[in-house]
Amino acid sequence: MKLQRKNRLRATALGALAVSGALVLTACGSDDNTGGSTPGNGDKTTAASSIDCGKAKGQLRASGSSAQKNAMDLWVKNYMAACSGVEINYNSSSSGEGIVAFNQGTVGFAGSDSALKPEEVAESKKSCKTGQGINLPMVGGPIAIGYHLEGVDKLTLDAPTLAKIFDTKIKKWNDPAIAKLNEGVNLPDKAIQAFHRSEDSGTTQNLGKYLAAAAPNEWKYEAEKKWPAPGGQAASGSSGIAAQVKQVDGAIGYFELSYAKSQNISTVAVDNGGSAPAEATSENASKAIAAAKVKGTGKDLALELDYATKADGAYPLVLVTYEVVCDTGNKPETLDTVKSFLSYAASEDGQKILTDAGYAPIPAEINAKVRETINGLS
């Protein structure tokens, strides 16, 4: 047992070094993207004209949501290319782990696919000192239902059917409930292998919110970060589920659209009761997210989504992923970097690059409030 533990610790350390090294390499190679200029603090480069480095300096550590990893990779690459001497190190783990790290004071901000719970807000006051943790919606997008079924290129499912699949009540791909939604499709007599997250996950919680809202008779579980249903197979992170779905014929799982696009994984069209099934696209997710309302108070901008929408073309299985920061009481040594980096992520240019990666920008009215709140962090 001790040997296994040492090996795990060694692997974790090597993994952390690899991530840090990759970020340093990104920074070292960034000169090629600056049009020959030498960016410094306060510079706005030709590579990313909207980035104001301000007084940013040193290293900023953050961690959390794997759902926003691909968006974060884009932001970090552009930001580090523009801001010499600044290193952003985002550890893509899970929403739950990110919030724990934030409340322990070991990171400057956390990424989370779910807004802070009241008890998490209370816990955050220990690390925020004079303030508390708040939720800043930074990126939205569809939670894709990816599948691997040889010979089946298009597949439609609805919320009740998805609920039964992930609750292992539907076990075969040629089940009558699936066949009814896919007339003319030759569905194989093959066992369904449903994959879910092994760790606490905001993506899991958002899937649970959707199933509970759109299929309340079939999905009786509370929407929590921990997977609630029996059966199925577990994998770590969105990347882990995507890898399993990619490899296993008969598999189905859930992850952000960016993972499906990057690995060429087929995705389910969702029948939300509208005139036609909605494909998992950034545009269709934006139609659902556009109806989001701010439910947070004060500087907290937590959103309420309508998972049971029946609007034509609206892909209902969506998430909004947040950056969790202190409203006041941020660490002085990282405050300027947090504000500068998140200001870029929330900027027009920062939001514009999300669509091609499979994400959906935050609605403009809400995003304006995000930028205002970031500017007032202290």
Side-chain angles (χ1 to χ4, degrees):
M1 293 296 291
K2 290 183 179 179
L3 179 59
Q4 290 177 344
R5 183 173 182 272
K6 288 180 179 179
N7 286 339
R8 285 197 301 270
L9 290 172
R10 183 173 181 270
T12 301
L14 289 173
L17 286 171
V19 171
S20 178
L23 288 169
V24 172
L25 286 172
T26 301
C28 292
S30 65
D31 289 346
D32 292 338
N33 298 323
T34 60
S37 65
T38 304
N41 289 347
D43 287 342
K44 293 184 178 181
T45 72
T46 56
S49 60
S50 70
I51 298 178
D52 184 354
C53 303
K55 298 179 181 179
K57 61 183 179 181
Q59 184 186 67
L60 172 61
R61 297 181 66 244
S63 69
S65 163
S66 64
Q68 60 178 258
K69 176 187 182 300
N70 294 332
M72 193 62 68
D73 286 348
L74 291 171
W75 290 331
V76 167
K77 177 182 178 182
N78 289 347
Y79 186 84
M80 288 176 58
C83 300
S84 176
V86 181
E87 181 180 338
I88 310 295
N89 190 334
Y90 182 81
N91 177 28
S92 170
S93 51
S94 70
S95 298
E97 292 178 34
I99 290 173
V100 169
F102 176 77
N103 284 342
Q104 290 176 342
T106 60
V107 295
F109 69 88
S112 177
D113 305 333
S114 295
L116 293 171
K117 296 178 180 179
E119 59 268 29
E120 291 170 336
V121 173
E123 184 70 18
S124 73
K125 294 179 180 180
K126 297 178 182 178
S127 59
C128 291
K129 307 299 183 186
T130 61
Q132 64 182 38
I134 57 173
N135 305 283
L136 301 179
M138 199 63 69
V139 58
I143 299 175
I145 302 296
Y147 71 95
H148 180 170
L149 200 55
E150 294 295 336
V152 178
D153 298 324
K154 290 189 176 182
L155 187 70
T156 296
L157 297 173
D158 58 12
T161 308
L162 282 168
K164 291 177 181 178
I165 288 173
F166 282 110
D167 199 17
T168 63
K169 299 292 178 59
I170 291 179
K171 302 179 183 295
K172 290 289 189 75
W173 279 109
N174 62 347
D175 186 276
I178 300 177
K180 184 178 179 180
L181 293 165
N182 295 274
E183 293 183 6
V185 177
N186 185 21
L187 297 168
D189 182 17
K190 183 183 290 292
I192 295 174
Q193 299 195 51
F195 286 88
H196 59 263
R197 292 281 287 272
S198 59
E199 76 285 10
D200 286 2
S201 159
T203 309
T204 294
Q205 188 171 36
N206 278 279
L207 173 64
K209 289 179 179 179
Y210 162 70
L211 293 175
N217 294 327
E218 291 78 15
W219 192 257
K220 301 294 186 180
Y221 305 101
E222 293 292 327
E224 298 291 347
K225 293 176 182 176
K226 184 177 180 63
W227 181 255
Q233 301 182 58
S236 177
S238 293
S239 59
I241 293 183
Q244 291 297 323
V245 172
K246 178 77 172 177
Q247 295 171 10
V248 179
D249 187 17
I252 188 170
Y254 58 94
F255 36 78
E256 294 65 44
L257 180 61
S258 57
Y259 289 92
K261 293 182 71 171
S262 64
Q263 298 189 45
N264 197 30
I265 297 172
S266 298
T267 59
V268 167
V270 174
D271 185 347
N272 71 347
S275 60
E279 299 284 349
T281 67
S282 297
E283 180 182 2
N284 290 344
S286 294
K287 294 176 183 177
I289 294 173
K293 297 179 181 179
V294 175
K295 66 176 182 179
T297 58
K299 294 181 180 180
D300 183 71
L301 298 177
L303 301 181
E304 183 175 5
L305 299 170
D306 181 9
Y307 293 97
T309 180
K310 295 184 178 181
D312 280 351
Y315 183 82
L317 183 44
V318 295
L319 62 75
V320 167
T321 184
Y322 300 90
E323 310 312 334
V324 176
V325 296
C326 298
D327 55 357
T328 64
N330 289 280
K331 291 182 174 62
E333 61 269 25
T334 57
L335 174 61
D336 289 330
T337 308
V338 167
K339 293 175 69 172
S340 173
F341 176 69
L342 294 185
S343 291
Y344 164 60
S347 71
E348 184 176 340
D349 282 359
Q351 292 289 297
K352 189 184 300 180
I353 63 175
L354 297 176
T355 303
D356 288 342
Y359 294 99
I362 296 300
E365 182 179 349
I366 295 173
N367 196 41
K369 295 179 181 178
V370 172
R371 292 196 294 268
E372 180 182 355
T373 302
I374 293 171
N375 189 52
L377 297 178
S378 62

